[in-house]
Amino acid sequence: MTELTGIFKQIEEHTYTIDKCFLCGCELTNDNKTEEHVIPKWLQNQFNLWNQKITLLNGTLLQYRYLTIPCCFECNNLHLKPFEDKIKSAFEGGYDTFNKLDRETLFLWLGKIYFGIIHRELFLSADRAKPDYGTITNPEYLKSFYSHFMFLQGIRGKHSFRDFFPASVYLFKTQKPLKIEEQWDFVDSQNTLFIAIRMGEIGIISSLQDCGATQKLEDLIQHHRDIDLHPLQFREMIAKILYKRFLMNRIPKFINIQNGESTETISLSLQGLSSKPIFDDWDNDVYSKILSEITGVALEICQPEKGKVWTWLMNADGNSIFIPFDD
Ligand SMILES: [Zn+2]
């Protein structure tokens, strides 16, 4: 067996414990220990999130202010801060400026938030009344996100993709309600590597590890881009893309190669040797259940009759509907 070096060694030796930096895995001491906010401070300030709660994997609610993970001084200040500054300044420029951000930056940003949440769950009891039940997630579970974690090393400039992009990233212009609490929305589906955020007039949805396959749905959603989505329509969009992701029947395969100080990843063909389509057939009855769950609208409305599904995005002629937020 060849000896592991560089990032491979770092990842292999990462224990995902509270005494290690979540990103580079280095040992934390009193001199280099910092805390990284999974939802960055500037966003929490912007949308007054500090005391609002996020729902974790097992249904636990946690205030955003406590959603922090251990991070070393170098990762925090040398890598994450400039990275966060870039996103923040694009955000401040509004939707059009944000839309100009390169997709890899967006991928890494969303990918860090996604991973940060699972990482935080390492240190929370699955059941607060029964501490011996263990934590919500465990290091073994985190290790199953090996490829994703490898990709995140791009934040430190230690990883790149060779001739492929690992994700689908969708941006939508959304309506900005007057009340600050209504300007923020967050959804994730942890086992599917899926995340969606609505922040003011910017809505982002990403399937983080489908090698862009879900993005083919773009044909279906393209004509909704002529309207600013109502928060409910944004939720419908999440349901659509998430269900499409569920229908994907292939698991992406990657090969990581050491390239000097950093690693590079190659992706194997998603189609593989089988001629079977990579998505199973769309089933409106299954989809309407997901739509109901994501939008919080009763199933009887989402599924008016068997085989049929409701939509807030278009009328009977297939044209987009603009729903003003006041309605
Ligand atoms: Zn670090």
Side-chain angles (χ1 to χ4, degrees):
M1 206 181 132
T2 51
E3 203 181 321
L4 293 170
T5 54
I7 289 179
F8 292 103
K9 188 168 154 60
Q10 273 177 6
I11 292 186
E12 194 56 42
E13 290 175 355
H14 198 340
T15 51
Y16 301 103
T17 41
I18 203 143
D19 56 341
K20 297 280 166 67
C21 169
F22 87 97
L23 186 58
C24 73
C26 80
E27 188 94 32
L28 294 173
T29 63
N30 284 339
D31 294 332
N32 71 350
K33 186 177 164 61
T34 71
E35 280 201 324
E36 166 74 0
H37 282 269
V38 174
I39 302 293
K41 286 187 216 162
W42 66 268
L43 256 188
Q44 299 204 47
N45 287 334
Q46 187 78 37
F47 297 107
N48 206 8
L49 296 176
W50 296 97
N51 298 320
Q52 289 191 48
K53 288 173 179 166
I54 183 166
T55 310
L56 302 174
L57 197 58
N58 66 339
T60 299
L61 294 170
L62 185 75
Q63 284 181 332
Y64 281 100
R65 63 167 69 237
Y66 297 121
L67 198 56
T68 56
I69 44 180
C71 185
C72 76
F73 183 85
E74 187 176 325
C75 284
N76 205 335
N77 289 281
L78 248 60
H79 306 300
L80 289 160
K81 178 142 192 337
F83 184 70
E84 219 40 82
D85 287 346
K86 184 175 170 184
I87 302 278
K88 179 173 182 262
S89 96
F91 170 83
E92 285 165 352
Y95 177 82
D96 291 331
T97 311
F98 200 84
N99 196 18
K100 289 194 187 99
L101 277 173
D102 65 282
R103 290 304 185 256
E104 189 165 337
T105 297
L106 275 180
F107 164 78
L108 290 173
W109 187 65
L110 295 167
K112 189 217 88 179
I113 293 175
Y114 171 86
F115 189 78
I117 292 172
I118 315 174
H119 198 285
R120 182 66 180 89
E121 290 168 343
L122 279 171
F123 312 117
L124 293 168
S125 302
D127 185 338
R128 277 181 216 181
K130 300 174 185 123
D132 48 337
Y133 271 34
T135 49
I136 303 177
T137 52
N138 56 54
E140 286 313 307
Y141 179 69
L142 258 79
K143 282 186 187 209
S144 71
F145 293 91
Y146 184 93
S147 301
H148 184 66
F149 186 67
M150 172 70 82
F151 300 164
L152 289 186
Q153 303 308 312
I155 297 173
R156 303 194 293 135
K158 301 263 188 201
H159 178 268
S160 58
F161 300 106
R162 190 193 282 179
D163 303 329
F164 86 102
F165 186 62
S168 295
V169 182
Y170 306 81
L171 239 72
F172 296 96
K173 189 157 186 215
T174 49
Q175 291 176 51
K176 188 174 167 181
L178 279 175
K179 274 198 202 148
I180 201 150
E181 308 82 67
E182 288 166 347
Q183 293 174 9
W184 168 262
D185 193 11
F186 182 90
V187 173
D188 69 347
S189 170
Q190 289 193 354
N191 294 316
T192 328
L193 282 118
F194 183 94
I195 182 167
I197 295 176
R198 179 171 57 80
M199 39 185 199
E201 60 172 25
I202 299 163
I204 327 170
I205 303 176
S206 182
S207 170
L208 295 166
Q209 209 172 97
D210 67 359
C211 292
T214 314
Q215 200 104 37
K216 307 228 162 66
L217 188 66
E218 197 80 21
D219 312 343
L220 264 171
I221 60 182
Q222 194 60 34
H223 74 281
H224 302 303
R225 291 192 185 280
D226 49 2
I227 48 165
D228 295 355
L229 298 182
H230 182 281
L232 180 64
Q233 291 177 311
F234 181 67
R235 282 269 174 159
E236 181 179 344
M237 210 51 104
I238 294 173
K240 252 182 202 252
I241 298 169
L242 180 59
Y243 178 50
K244 186 74 178 175
R245 179 63 184 86
F246 285 151
L247 291 175
M248 190 169 138
N249 55 36
R250 301 290 207 282
I251 298 166
K253 292 191 180 68
F254 307 111
I255 297 173
N256 303 307
I257 320 159
Q258 181 94 26
N259 186 356
E261 275 293 284
S262 59
T263 48
E264 239 187 348
T265 300
I266 305 173
S267 163
L268 301 181
S269 152
L270 210 51
Q271 183 70 46
L273 297 171
S274 160
S275 58
K276 186 183 164 194
I278 59 173
F279 291 104
D280 293 339
D281 290 337
W282 187 281
D283 180 334
N284 271 345
D285 293 330
V286 178
Y287 168 62
S288 39
K289 290 195 181 81
I290 293 169
L291 181 65
S292 167
E293 195 172 311
I294 298 282
T295 58
V297 174
L299 184 60
E300 304 87 84
I301 295 171
C302 293
Q303 186 190 33
E305 57 182 281
K306 209 170 157 29
K308 291 265 166 68
V309 67
W310 185 257
T311 177
W312 290 273
L313 287 164
M314 55 186 163
N315 60 24
D317 302 328
N319 296 316
S320 338
I321 307 170
F322 175 73
I323 309 174
F325 184 70
D326 295 343
D327 293 12

